[in-house]
Amino acid sequence: MDTASRPPLTIALAQPDLRPGDVAGNAAAHAEAIRAAGARVVVFPELSLSSYAMAAPTVSLEDPSLGAITEACAETGSIALVGAPLAEDGEEHITMVRFDADGPEPLYRKMFPGGPETERFTAGSAPAVLEVDGWRLGLSICRDFAIDAHIEATAALGIDAYVGGNLHDEEGAVRRDARIPALAADYGVWVAMACFAGPGSDYPDASGGSAVWGPDGEVVARADERPGRIVTATLA
């Protein structure tokens, strides 16, 4: 699609109240957020289906409770980008899963896991792009955003936005807010991060603060630190 003729893209960042290992409850929270957001694309934090908990088991995309997310996407016409620990070919990955009216599909595996993640999860092997209505969204998960090699490899695929799910403590949020404006401006892309909020993870001080930065590096929309918040921006 010619970029001059493509429609604006509405993107929402959701930071629902999540619980470790409660896939059914977390799926219901995702569905509620999708309906509330009213956006074409709804992005969720890292490992959102299991919550960010290293002890939580992997998620099966055949789990019937995930049908709640598919139904919400079908009702709204939304695409949801959801985080999940998935087992594939004998390895576990921190994965971004696309949900739409047709159900779930793994899209991207985190390429730069860090800290305790490295004891469990295998790094993904390649960057990925999702095209929605003529917009090319480069995909990223948490620490990927901090690695120059990741944005370089993803941008080389041709992207309009750099999008993903995250979890930060307060110190991490400070580093994020120092890095992302320059990154957005240097590459001339939108950046959208859905960040974990609330106590329901291995990091009880998760910062929230989901945000969208414009291609000039300016913040377009930002949530506060509380769970349940949704922020929306229109890419045009």
Side-chain angles (χ1 to χ4, degrees):
M1 180 182 295
D2 186 340
T3 59
S5 62
R6 69 187 176 189
L9 182 72
T10 304
I11 188 166
L13 309 177
Q15 46 188 59
D17 190 9
L18 303 171
R19 293 292 176 265
D22 182 7
V23 175
N26 293 339
H30 282 64
E32 180 180 358
I34 291 164
R35 292 187 174 95
R40 181 70 170 113
V41 177
V42 186
V43 188
F44 291 88
E46 180 178 21
L47 292 174
S48 56
L49 279 179
S50 62
S51 177
Y52 188 97
M54 290 300 101
T58 56
V59 172
S60 169
L61 296 184
E62 302 300 320
D63 188 325
S65 68
L66 302 185
I69 303 176
T70 301
E71 291 171 8
C73 290
E75 291 175 16
T76 59
S78 299
I79 293 169
L81 301 181
V82 172
L86 297 187
E88 302 175 87
D89 299 325
E91 298 177 333
E92 295 185 1
H93 294 275
I94 296 174
T95 306
M96 183 182 292
V97 181
R98 168 188 171 140
F99 279 80
D100 60 18
D102 295 324
E105 174 191 3
L107 283 185
Y108 169 70
R109 290 93 181 156
K110 185 176 184 177
M111 292 178 66
F112 294 95
E117 299 168 356
T118 59
E119 299 176 11
R120 175 178 176 185
F121 294 105
T122 300
S125 60
V129 171
L130 170 65
E131 185 161 341
V132 180
D133 302 339
W135 291 84
R136 290 178 61 79
L137 310 182
L139 306 180
S140 182
I141 300 174
C142 202
R143 187 168 178 263
D144 292 340
F145 279 99
I147 305 298
D148 289 342
H150 189 270
I151 178 61
E152 291 167 4
T154 306
L157 300 177
I159 62 173
D160 303 297
Y162 193 42
V163 175
N166 297 65
L167 184 149
H168 301 287
D169 59 15
E170 291 300 330
E171 291 183 2
V174 171
R175 292 193 296 271
R176 171 198 66 195
D177 292 344
R179 173 176 173 78
I180 296 304
L183 185 150
D186 287 349
Y187 285 90
V189 297
W190 297 82
V191 179
M193 283 190 186
C195 299
F196 199 103
S201 77
D202 288 346
Y203 291 84
D205 56 349
S207 66
S210 299
V212 178
W213 291 261
D216 59 0
E218 295 296 317
V219 174
V220 174
R222 187 190 293 276
D224 64 21
E225 76 284 359
R226 288 174 285 182
R229 300 306 199 194
I230 301 170
V231 293
T232 303
T234 300
L235 283 53

